[in-house]
């Protein structure tokens, strides 16, 4: 694979594309800042999506559309990608920040500071940069390349955009959904040059609610108490024998939020906890799910056994609020090998890693997929003080170009 990547770098048009990326590095930074400054909370990405669609058209992509969930698509290839199994290069539109957060960007030398400047304004700017470089320098590939900006990658979005993109319906359908399945899927997510994410960190998330009669904290004392049940459940879950560290599969269960009650002198009628279950292995995650549900049932039974005679029992509800599939693209797959080789040929180490990204969905569907950083360095992810520093930023986008063209097969 090293020879394949080296040959790509020596090809006249790929060399021209690399030169274009390096020459327009400041343009990419300006786009990154402009994209970051457009608010895009999960579920409200419309303004940013419209801007990306304008950029896709401006750089010369074909068949630019926004689908019914808000994903933005643009194609290379004379047939608009409608006949072959394309290579998908993607980046997510949304950020973790709500509409109340000021997403203005400040620049200090090579450093940009602003909420979401790396995750994922950097990925979006790199997505546009690769598209422009391929179009301007006429890099032709045997497979079409679908450039996709997706909604709902963060938190409660639950990978909604990429799930829609790869929903498996026949034909591209309204809005450009992909069929046949992509030959490869590459997600650009945040900054960095070393990590090659080929293991999908899956998760199941639940809102667990205990409900009961409630009542006055003195007069009704003895009724089953939902708050007590939450406490019992939390203690039981904390003692589960999950794997918090390698050897694989690493598997974790975390209570991440608690709530309930209406006043200081009232036994609540309901109390709840939110759970985040994670594993790199689908079977381990499924088994953890079974174990967690048994612990919750035990907490329910323990509290109900302690209630006063003749009083109503508590009930228990599990409401799914997130389901991110897990899996792996084998390290021996040509897509992973291409990313490792690109790093090596560019003189940088590669670090194989696990994370939760848009690549989770294609991996779970059996589509070869990885996630890559888009160059540079970053810090304070998911904080209002997030920053991006453009150290070897262009090199990260060159890596994305090389892996994309390698999988799309240069003509």
């Amino acid at each position: 694979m090293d020879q394949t990547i080296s040959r790509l770098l020596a090809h006249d048009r790929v060399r021209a594309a690399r030169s274009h990326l390096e020459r327009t590095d400041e343009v990419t930074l300006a786009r990154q800042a402009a994209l970051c400054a457009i608010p895009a909370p999960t579920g409200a990405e419309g303004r940013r999506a419209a801007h990306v669609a304008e950029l896709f058209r401006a750089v010369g992509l074909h068949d630019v559309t926004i689908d019914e969930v808000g994903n933005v698509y643009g194609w290379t290839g004379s047939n608009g990608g409608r006949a072959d199994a394309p290579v998908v290069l993607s980046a997510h539109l949304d950020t973790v920040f709500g509409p109340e957060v000021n997403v203005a960007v400040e620049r200090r030398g090579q450093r940009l500071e602003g909420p979401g400047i790396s995750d994922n304004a950097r990925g979006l700017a790199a997505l546009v940069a690769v598209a422009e470089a391929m179009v301007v320098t006429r890099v032709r590939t045997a497979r079409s390349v679908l450039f996709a900006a997706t909604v709902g990658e963060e938190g409660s979005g639950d990978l909604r955009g990429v799930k829609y993109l790869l929903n498996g319906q026949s034909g591209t359908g309204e809005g450009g959904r992909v069929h046949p399945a992509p030959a490869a899927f590459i997600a650009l997510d945040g900054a960095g040059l070393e990590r090659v994410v080929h293991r999908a960190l899956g998760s199941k998330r639940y809102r667990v609610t205990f409900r009961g009669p409630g009542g006055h904290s003195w007069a009704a004392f003895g009724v089953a108490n939902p708050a007590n049940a939450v406490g019992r459940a939390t203690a039981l879950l904390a003692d589960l024998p999950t794997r918090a560290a390698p050897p694989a599969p690493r598997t974790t269960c975390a209570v991440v939020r608690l709530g309930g009650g209406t006043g200081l002198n009232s036994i609540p009628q309901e109390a709840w906890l939110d759970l985040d279950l994670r594993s790199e292995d689908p079977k381990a995650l499924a088994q953890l799910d079974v174990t967690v549900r048994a612990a919750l049932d035990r907490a329910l039974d323990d509290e109900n056994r302690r209630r006063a005679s003749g009083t109503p029992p508590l009930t228990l509800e599990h409401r799914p609020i997130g389901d991110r599939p897990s899996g792996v693209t084998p390290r021996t797959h040509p897509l992973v090998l291409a990313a490792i080789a690109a790093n090596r040929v560019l003189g940088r180490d590669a670090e194989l890693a696990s994370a939760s990204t848009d690549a989770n969905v294609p991996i779970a569907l059996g589509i070869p997929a990885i996630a890559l950083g888009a160059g540079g360095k970053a810090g304070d992810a998911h904080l209002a003080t997030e920053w991006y520093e453009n150290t070897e930023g262009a090199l990260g986008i060159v890596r994305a170009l090389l892996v994309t063209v390698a999988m799309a097969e240069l003509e």
Side-chain angles (χ1 to χ4, degrees), residues 327-371:
V328 61
T329 299
R331 62 188 303 159
T332 56
H333 190 278
L335 175 58
V336 180
L337 294 177
I340 294 171
N343 270 56
R344 192 154 43 225
V345 170
L346 294 172
R348 297 297 179 271
D349 294 331
E351 173 194 343
L352 296 179
S354 169
S356 179
T357 70
D358 269 349
N360 282 41
V361 174
I363 287 174
L365 292 172
I367 298 167
I370 58 174

Side-chain angles (χ1 to χ4, degrees), residues 256-338:
V256 293
R257 287 189 295 193
L258 302 166
T262 57
L264 286 174
N265 60 348
S266 300
I267 295 171
Q269 290 184 300
E270 71 174 43
W272 54 266
L273 66 158
D274 286 347
L275 295 177
D276 184 3
L277 286 57
R278 296 189 181 226
S279 181
E280 298 173 7
D281 181 78
K283 292 181 180 178
L285 186 58
Q287 182 55 56
L288 176 63
D289 191 18
V290 172
T291 303
V292 165
R293 287 173 180 265
L296 295 170
D297 288 341
R298 179 180 166 187
L300 177 70
D301 291 342
D302 286 350
E303 180 60 22
N304 279 334
R305 275 198 303 270
R306 288 166 170 79
R307 76 186 191 276
S309 177
T311 60
L314 296 183
T315 61
L316 171 61
E317 177 190 47
H318 316 83
R319 180 169 63 86
I321 54 177
D323 188 354
R324 295 175 177 238
S326 55
V328 61
T329 299
R331 62 188 303 159
T332 56
H333 190 278
L335 175 58
V336 180
L337 294 177

Side-chain angles (χ1 to χ4, degrees), residues 1 25 27 31 44 55 126 132 210 229-230 233 261-262 275 281 294 304 330 351 377 403:
M1 188 59 75
D25 194 31
V27 174
R31 286 176 180 151
L55 290 173
E132 182 179 48
F210 295 92
V230 165
T262 57
L275 295 177
D281 181 78
N304 279 334
E351 173 194 343
K377 297 179 180 179
V403 177

Side-chain angles (χ1 to χ4, degrees), residues 52 106 199 353 405:
V52 170
E106 294 186 12
R199 303 191 307 276
V405 174

